[in-house]
Every structure is written in structure tokens, then in C-alpha cells.
Amino acid sequence: MENLTEMQPVVFRQLQNSFTSHRLAHAYLFEGDQGTGKEVMAQWFAQHLFCTNLQNGYPCGKCNNCVRIKEQEHPDVFEIKPEGQTIKVDQMRALQSELSKSGFETNKKVVIIQKAETMNVNSANSLLKFLEEPPQGLTLLLLTQALGKILPTIRSRCQVIHFQALSAEKLQQRLLADGITLKTAELLASLTNSYAKAVEFSNDEWFNEARQAIAQWFDYLSQQDLQAFIYVQKKLIKLFKEKDQQALAFEILRYYVKETRDALLLSDEKKALAYNRLLEEVLLSGQKLAANVAFQNVAEQLTLHAVKLHA
Ligand SMILES: [Zn+2]
């Protein structure tokens, strides 16, 4: 729970208020990036419904029900996730027959649908039946990273709960907890606020090569080494072919320049100022690229400016 209040304070308060005021919806759509706590929140929600020993209005996390929900062994909490690429209609039918069976422990049931955007049309239609005439005591929790792919007919029957992207600091903490080094975590958090994207980057061979190449280029630039110029032709234009890769090149460079500037601010103001001007050049380069100037031209111009700046 600590983790949830910290990760998603707004959502947490919103849902807790619904519980205390007994104004729960039949269906919720948890929408947000991977790693924003949707699964844990869904579990907490189910515990809230079944906990036999609420503590100051919050699920205890320790009673038999809370524990079984955490272990995904509670007979009245169902979870559906895609089999392969999609959630198939057979899965929905199996759920339907499970739900219609008697002999449940309580009259409450919770269905958690992971990656709800992967429902195909038939599955979605099957789900719509639940949403149109919700069975007594059933709560549906739909989780998605792609709100735009959820059919409007489904969306409009759910209360949509927005999970906020992580702050750079929190993203960094999560990456560190995953065993990613501090330097890499800092770089990734400067490039994206999406945990999923950060993890994707860190596992991507191209990204790791790109990052090393930019670090090398930055070294040449810092030393006013004209090899920086050759390096653009020899290495960078081969490595950064796609437009989005090229944009990323300047974003990675921006990280290195900024980091160096910040480190110098206290010790060497004059040098820090030079890096500050380089930082402006890097930002300008990104803009030129966006305005369709060729990557090689932008990179070479930046190199010339950098050498002059430090001269
Ligand atoms: Zn409990």
C-alpha cells in the first residue's frame, strides 16, 4: 500500500474515497503506461472488497482473503490475460461459465482483464454483455496501456482511471531496483518518462551501441578533437539512419553535455559556461533536424560550433 500511495497518490485517494463513500462503479478502466502500478492497484482493489479485517478502512494485506488475492489463488477473483497476441472469445466464454457456477465463497466477484486492448471484436462483444447487464456483485477491472484501442462502447461503460507516468526521479528508482546502473538509469530517465520504453531501450542492442557512439563523439567534442568531424561520417551517419534514431542521438548528447555542465557548475564556472553554450547548440540541432535539415549537416555544424566554443 505504501508503494501505491507513493506511486499513484491521486488514483489511490480517488479509489479509497469511492470505497469509503460506498460509491463503487461496476466497471473500471485503469489506463496508463506499463510500470505505473495498474496491476498492483487492481490487486489492492480486490483486497479492499474481500478483506475480512480492514485496518482504518484499508485492506489489511494479512487476512486469508488478502493473502490469497496476492497469491492469485482467491476463488472469486478472476484474471484474464491475452493468450498469445489476443484475448480470445473462448477465454471470455470460459469466464462466463465460471461466473455462472454457484458455490462461491461470497456473493462478490472480481474480474481483472489485463491488456484489455488485446480483446478481439468477439471478445469485446462478449464483454459488452457483462457491461450492459452487470451481474449482481461483479466488479470488472480492465487494465490497458492503449486507451485509444479500447472500443468506445466499452470505454463509455467504464469509469476511466488515469494512471500518471512516473516522474524522472521515480522512474530512476524503479530502474535502479531492476538492477540497472545509476548512470544508465539517469540517462534513460532523461530520455523518457515511460518505464516500458526505458526497459526497452536498456535491452536494445542498437540503443547500447548508439549510446556508446554518442559518448565517444562527446569525448571528441569536449577535447576539441577534429576526429569528432570524421566520426560523424565514419560512425554516426551509419548508426543513426532513421529519423527518430537521429533525434535520439541529440537527446543522448544533450544528456552528456548537461551532466558535464552540472558537474562543472561548482568547480569551474568558465568551463561550465562553455558547456552551457554547447547545450544550446545541441538543442538547436534537434530543432534543425525536426525542420528537415539532413542529419549529417546538423551533426557537422554542431561539431564545428563545439570546437569553436571551446577554443
Ligand atoms: Zn485483509
Side-chain angles (χ1 to χ4, degrees), residues 4 7 15 20 29-30 43 46 51 62 65 101 131 135 156 166 171 221 230 235 243 245 254 268 270 273 280 288 293:
L4 284 177
M7 243 173 128
L15 292 176
T20 47
L29 183 52
F30 289 181
Q43 211 170 61
C51 182
K62 290 179 187 137
N65 280 342
K101 276 184 202 160
L131 290 170
S156 65
L166 300 179
L171 175 57
L221 292 173
I230 303 159
K235 180 83 182 180
K243 194 86 184 177
Q245 294 177 336
R254 187 186 62 188
D268 190 337
K270 197 167 161 244
L273 208 62
E280 284 164 19
K288 286 182 194 164
V293 183

Side-chain angles (χ1 to χ4, degrees), residues 13-300:
R13 234 179 304 131
Q14 190 182 358
L15 292 176
Q16 177 65 20
N17 283 343
S18 305
F19 274 105
T20 47
S21 61
H22 304 286
R23 278 195 214 160
L24 291 173
H26 289 292
Y28 289 90
L29 183 52
F30 289 181
E31 177 269 324
D33 191 20
Q34 190 191 330
T36 49
K38 298 189 297 296
E39 289 81 5
V40 193
M41 194 70 83
Q43 211 170 61
W44 174 83
F45 190 102
Q47 287 177 330
H48 219 310
L49 284 171
F50 289 102
C51 182
T52 52
N53 190 23
L54 288 175
Q55 303 288 311
N56 302 320
Y58 298 103
C60 72
K62 290 179 187 137
C63 70
N64 191 6
N65 280 342
C66 281
V67 169
R68 281 188 297 170
I69 288 168
K70 190 161 194 283
E71 307 286 331
Q72 300 184 323
E73 281 169 359
H74 197 286
D76 293 332
V77 179
F78 303 85
E79 204 165 318
I80 298 235
K81 50 180 98 173
E83 281 176 5
Q85 298 294 312
T86 55
I87 293 173
K88 300 184 173 69
V89 71
D90 289 348
Q91 292 175 264
M92 302 305 289
R93 287 199 186 116
L95 173 70
Q96 241 159 339
S97 86
E98 275 294 315
L99 289 175
S100 61
K101 276 184 202 160
S102 55
F104 288 103
E105 292 188 9
T106 62
N107 55 1
K108 284 179 264 181
K109 295 173 190 69
V110 174
V111 173
I112 299 170
I113 301 185
Q114 306 258 15
K115 299 200 169 158
E117 73 276 8
T118 63
M119 282 185 290
N120 62 26
V121 178
N122 290 336
S123 313
N125 282 333
S126 171
L127 179 72
L128 259 180
K129 284 178 203 145
F130 281 122
L131 290 170
E132 281 162 353
E133 288 168 53
Q136 186 67 30
L138 175 69
T139 308
L140 279 164
L141 303 175
L142 278 63
L143 279 48
T144 186
Q145 294 177 47
L147 187 60
K149 289 186 187 160
I150 302 289
L151 288 180
T153 44
I154 286 181
R155 198 170 149 172
S156 65
R157 286 177 172 83
C158 298
Q159 185 174 338
V160 181
I161 308 279
H162 301 286
F163 282 61
Q164 286 186 334
L166 300 179
S167 67
E169 193 190 338
K170 283 194 185 132
L171 175 57
Q172 208 171 301
Q173 283 167 6
R174 289 213 58 179
L175 295 170
L176 287 172
D178 284 354
I180 288 175
T181 63
L182 178 62
K183 285 275 161 222
T184 307
E186 277 177 359
L187 170 64
L188 292 170
S190 81
L191 295 175
T192 178
N193 60 7
S194 156
Y195 173 74
K197 190 74 198 167
V199 170
E200 192 189 311
F201 274 147
S202 74
N203 292 325
D204 181 3
E205 226 172 278
W206 176 85
F207 177 80
N208 287 301
E209 194 186 344
R211 170 201 174 170
Q212 280 167 25
I214 296 297
Q216 177 64 67
W217 190 35
F218 175 64
D219 273 352
Y220 288 140
L221 292 173
S222 294
Q223 292 156 23
Q224 301 155 253
D225 188 336
L226 274 175
Q227 285 216 60
F229 205 78
I230 303 159
Y231 198 69
V232 172
Q233 298 160 23
K234 238 178 58 185
K235 180 83 182 180
L236 299 187
I237 58 168
K238 287 176 192 149
L239 192 55
F240 297 92
K241 286 187 177 135
E242 308 294 332
K243 194 86 184 177
D244 55 340
Q245 294 177 336
Q246 296 169 350
L248 194 61
F250 292 113
E251 281 172 43
I252 298 172
L253 181 62
R254 187 186 62 188
Y255 166 77
Y256 286 120
V257 177
K258 192 170 176 294
E259 191 203 23
T260 308
R261 182 203 62 181
D262 293 350
L264 283 167
L265 276 174
L266 290 173
S267 58
D268 190 337
E269 213 174 306
K270 197 167 161 244
K271 253 190 168 170
L273 208 62
Y275 278 99
N276 199 46
R277 285 167 64 195
L278 180 56
L279 188 60
E280 284 164 19
E281 287 296 331
V282 175
L283 293 173
L284 198 63
S285 299
Q287 288 167 14
K288 286 182 194 164
L289 191 72
N292 278 330
V293 183
F295 176 68
Q296 185 173 351
N297 290 351
V298 181
E300 286 175 353

